[in-house]
Every structure is written in structure tokens, then in C-alpha cells.
């Protein structure tokens, strides 16, 4: 940590604790009391109203009317802090700590910090439900409590899970809960929209993220990605679709445009070779034509025949 970061943290400590002794600050930063007083001198020179009171009940403290101003943060830094908190509170309720914090630090900047707006909700009512799951998960993580919920995986599996939650991750276009799955006995990601009946347990988290990582060089996210690459075999598809339908595939997969003819586009992309692959392709209806590989093309044709036979049988 740089000296500037130490000074910044010292000011925040005094804002939070109101008053601390030089010995307490010395133990917190793991430096000598002499160094603490040298930092205080530097802050005084910078214009921070900090002083030391001797005797019983004394200590180092800030002027009670002091608030962080331009002596600590640049204007750009203040705008970034306010904008970041405002963006994050989009996930929280009306009485959330984020909303309260946004109001308290709004005075940091005179400039308009509303240049950034983030809404993680979906375009359907599912967004409100995801926020509910998010809120329960957040409190469990902060309190280090285990979670219990019903989960519906992309492989058609469903059942009750208990999780030792570590963090909430936004990746791609969705929110995930990441932690230690007691059932699978390994680190797992769970998509918030597939979680049902979530609730906090009275059982504390006993496995921490750092202790679960296999190596210091490899992050938990990287390890999980490698595991997924082993479990999910990718297959390369070549399809022909109308130009106006390309966005649907581009939203989910990295595509290569092979050819454009009038209003038709030939795309090549990779996707997991899973049981839901054919259903995904059929969701485009007659607009999509599978060109390769032959195995998938034949599977789509067989599924269409089954669908047609089912319609005939029920007629």
C-alpha cells in the first residue's frame, strides 16, 4: 500500500471511528507510533483539520464538521465514486444501504454524477425476482451464512442445494451466485434466475474462497472455466438465417460471417453440444437452415418429423 493510500485510509478511519489513539492506529497499520504522528503532520500540511487531544479520553480526531473535499479527492475521483454507488443501488431496494450511501456522499462533487445509469433488470417481470434473490444472497455473503435453495440447471437437473456463498458475479448477460456447493463438494456457479425458494440458514460458512483455490497462480474463475471446457464439448455450426435474425445468435455466441446474399447470412459459431442444442436451433423456426455438421442437420430434421407426427396424432 502506498503512503497516499495509507493517509487516505487513516482519514476514513477517523471519519468512521470519530476518535482513535496513536497506538490503535499504529497497530492497525502495523507501523510505529512515530510514523503515525508523521502522517498526521502530513495531513495537517495538506489542510486536513486533524488534531490530537491528550489525557483521559483523548486521541486523534478530525474536526466534527469536516467532510472529504478536494484536499483528498480530485473532482474526477469524486464523480466516479458517486456514479459507481448510484449505479450499484439499481439492484437494491428503497431502504438499501447503497441508496443511503448515495445520498450521504452526493455532496462530494459539484458536477453532475448522473452520467452513468445501469439497470440490471430484464425486460420482463423476472427482473424483480432476480433482485429478490440478489438481496437474500448479498446478506448471506456479508453475514457468512450458508444458503439453501432449489436449482434448475441447464442440463435438466433439478433439486435442493446448500451453498457456502462467496460472491455474486455478473457475467455475460446474467447474474450468478458463486460459492462452495455442499452437494457436489466443489466450487460452483448458480444462475440467479434459476434459483427458487432461496433462504438463509443458521449454519455459518466454513469453506472460504481462498482456501478452496487449488493454486495461488490460478483464480477460482479460471479453474471453473477450465472445468466447464472439459464438461461441455463445443461443436461448430454453420447456419443460414435472415440478416435481421443474426442479433439473436450474436447475443449469446461469437460468430463469424461467412457469406452475405441479399437478405440471407451464413454464420459459423460454436456452442455446447448439449441436449438443448436442437431446441435452441428450432426456436428460429423456418427462418434458420442448418448447413453443417450433418449430424446436427439430421437431428433437427428428425425432431421436426416427431413434432409433425405429434400434431397428426392429436388431430
Amino acid at each position: 500500500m502506498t503512503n497516499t493510500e495509507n493517509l487516505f485510509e487513516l482519514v476514513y478511519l477517523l471519519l468512521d471511528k470519530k476518535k482513535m489513539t496513536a497506538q490503535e492506529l499504529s497497530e492497525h497499520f502495523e507501523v510505529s507510533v512515530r510514523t503515525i504522528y508523521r502522517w498526521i503532520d502530513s495531513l495537517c500540511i495538506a489542510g486536513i483539520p486533524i488534531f490530537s487531544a491528550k489525557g483521559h479520553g483523548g486521541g486523534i480526531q478530525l474536526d466534527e464538521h469536516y467532510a472529504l473535499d478536494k484536499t483528498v479527492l480530485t473532482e474526477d475521483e469524486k464523480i466516479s465514486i458517486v456514479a459507481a454507488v448510484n449505479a450499484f443501488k439499481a439492484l437494491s431496494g428503497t431502504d438499501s444501504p447503497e441508496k443511503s450511501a448515495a445520498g450521504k456522499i452526493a455532496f462530494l462533487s459539484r458536477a453532475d454524477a448522473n452520467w452513468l445509469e445501469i439497470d440490471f433488470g430484464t425486460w420482463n417481470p423476472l427482473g424483480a425476482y432476480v433482485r429478490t434473490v440478489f438481496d437474500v444472497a448479498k446478506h448471506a455473503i456479508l453475514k457468512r451464512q450458508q444458503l439453501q435453495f432449489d436449482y434448475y440447471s441447464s442440463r435438466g437437473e433439478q433439486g435442493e442445494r446448500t451453498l457456502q456463498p462467496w460472491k455474486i458475479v455478473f457475467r455475460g448477460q446474467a447474474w450468478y451466485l458463486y460459492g462452495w456447493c455442499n452437494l457436489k463438494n466443489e466450487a460452483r456457479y448458480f444462475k440467479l434466475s434459476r434459483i427458487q425458494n432461496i433462504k438463509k440458514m443458521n449454519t455459518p460458512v466454513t469453506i472460504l474462497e481462498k482456501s478452496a483455490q487449488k493454486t495461488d497462480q490460478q483464480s477460482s474463475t479460471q479453474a471453473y472455466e477450465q472445468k466447464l471446457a472439459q464438461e461441455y464439448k463445443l461443436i461448430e455450426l454453420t447456419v443460414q438465417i435472415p440478416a435481421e435474425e443474426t442479433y439473436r445468435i450474436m447475443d449469446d455466441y461469437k460468430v463469424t460471417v461467412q457469406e452475405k446474399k441479399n437478405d440471407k447470412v451464413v454464420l459459423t459459431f460454436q456452442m455446447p453440444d448439449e441436449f438443448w442444442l436442437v431446441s435452441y436451433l428450432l426456436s428460429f423456426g423456418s427462418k434458420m437452415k442448418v448447413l453443417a455438421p450433418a449430424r446436427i442437420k439430421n437431428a433437427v430434421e428428425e425432431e421436426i418429423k416427431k413434432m409433425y407426427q405429434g400434431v397428426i396424432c392429436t388431430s
Side-chain angles (χ1 to χ4, degrees):
M1 184 178 290
T2 66
N3 193 50
T4 301
E5 290 172 325
N6 283 326
L7 294 177
F8 188 71
E9 183 176 349
L10 192 153
V11 172
Y12 259 95
L13 280 172
L14 294 179
L15 283 170
D16 181 50
K17 304 293 184 181
K18 306 301 181 184
K19 183 189 299 182
M20 295 182 71
T21 66
Q23 184 61 41
E24 289 173 335
L25 291 169
S26 171
E27 294 173 357
H28 175 84
F29 288 101
E30 298 182 349
V31 297
S32 66
V33 172
R34 185 186 183 92
T35 297
I36 294 297
Y37 281 116
R38 190 166 63 248
W39 289 354
I40 292 173
D41 289 339
S42 297
L43 290 170
C44 289
I45 294 173
I48 308 296
I50 187 171
F51 61 92
S52 176
K54 296 182 179 180
H56 180 70
I60 299 167
Q61 63 189 86
L62 290 165
D63 184 282
E64 61 178 359
H65 300 296
Y66 174 75
L68 289 177
D69 60 17
K70 62 183 180 182
T71 58
V72 177
L73 298 171
T74 67
E75 189 65 15
D76 285 346
E77 289 171 337
K78 288 185 283 186
I79 292 172
S80 296
I81 290 173
V82 178
V85 176
N86 278 330
F88 187 73
K89 72 176 183 178
L91 281 165
S92 307
T94 55
D95 298 324
S96 69
E98 292 78 29
K99 185 176 179 64
S100 175
K104 289 179 179 178
I105 69 173
F107 66 87
L108 288 178
S109 174
R110 292 185 299 274
D112 184 7
N114 292 320
W115 62 273
L116 176 67
E117 181 176 342
I118 299 177
D119 185 354
F120 294 108
T122 61
W123 291 104
N124 59 50
L126 178 64
Y129 175 73
V130 169
R131 286 189 180 91
T132 300
V133 177
F134 181 99
D135 193 53
V136 175
K138 181 187 76 170
H139 285 93
I141 292 170
L142 295 177
K143 298 293 184 181
R144 291 194 174 182
Q145 291 177 299
Q146 295 191 32
L147 287 166
Q148 185 179 70
F149 52 84
D150 296 324
Y151 191 69
Y152 298 78
S153 74
S154 60
R155 296 185 173 184
E157 300 173 348
Q158 51 182 290
E160 186 178 86
R161 300 292 184 95
T162 54
L163 183 76
Q164 305 196 38
W166 297 331
K167 63 179 66 171
I168 299 173
V169 180
F170 185 78
R171 191 152 190 208
Q173 299 176 343
W175 285 100
Y176 295 86
L177 180 57
Y178 180 54
W180 186 264
C181 177
N182 293 335
L183 178 65
K184 299 295 184 179
N185 198 34
E186 63 181 359
R188 286 281 179 124
Y189 284 88
F190 296 90
K191 198 170 185 178
L192 296 195
S193 59
R194 298 178 188 161
I195 291 175
Q196 294 284 326
N197 305 318
I198 187 170
K199 60 182 179 181
K200 288 187 294 183
M201 304 174 66
N202 292 324
T203 310
V205 170
T206 57
I207 300 177
L208 301 178
E209 181 180 5
K210 289 184 178 179
S211 63
Q213 291 182 9
K214 295 182 179 179
T215 63
D216 294 331
Q217 293 75 27
Q218 187 181 48
S219 71
S220 54
T221 302
Q222 290 173 329
Y224 191 75
E225 285 177 342
Q226 291 182 5
K227 182 178 181 300
L228 287 180
Q230 294 171 356
E231 289 186 354
Y232 291 93
K233 181 181 177 182
L234 296 178
I235 184 171
E236 185 171 275
L237 298 167
T238 301
V239 302
Q240 182 186 72
I241 60 173
E244 65 269 17
E245 292 291 322
T246 57
Y247 78 92
R248 287 186 55 191
I249 300 178
M250 288 181 173
D251 281 349
D252 297 316
Y253 305 102
K254 184 179 183 302
V255 306
T256 300
V257 179
Q258 299 284 12
E259 183 182 357
K260 290 183 179 179
K261 283 187 177 180
N262 299 324
D263 62 340
K264 299 289 185 179
V265 180
V266 175
L267 302 177
T268 298
F269 62 100
Q270 288 187 328
M271 63 180 295
D273 189 4
E274 290 293 313
F275 70 92
W276 46 264
L277 185 152
V278 171
S279 297
Y280 172 81
L281 298 177
L282 285 173
S283 69
F284 289 84
S286 60
K287 294 180 179 179
M288 173 180 284
K289 181 179 181 181
V290 179
L291 303 178
R295 174 172 67 84
I296 301 301
K297 181 180 179 180
N298 294 335
V300 170
E301 292 175 352
E302 286 298 317
E303 189 65 23
I304 292 174
K305 290 179 182 177
K306 292 178 183 178
M307 292 168 61
Y308 178 73
Q309 291 171 356
V311 171
I312 296 298
C313 290
T314 56
S315 298

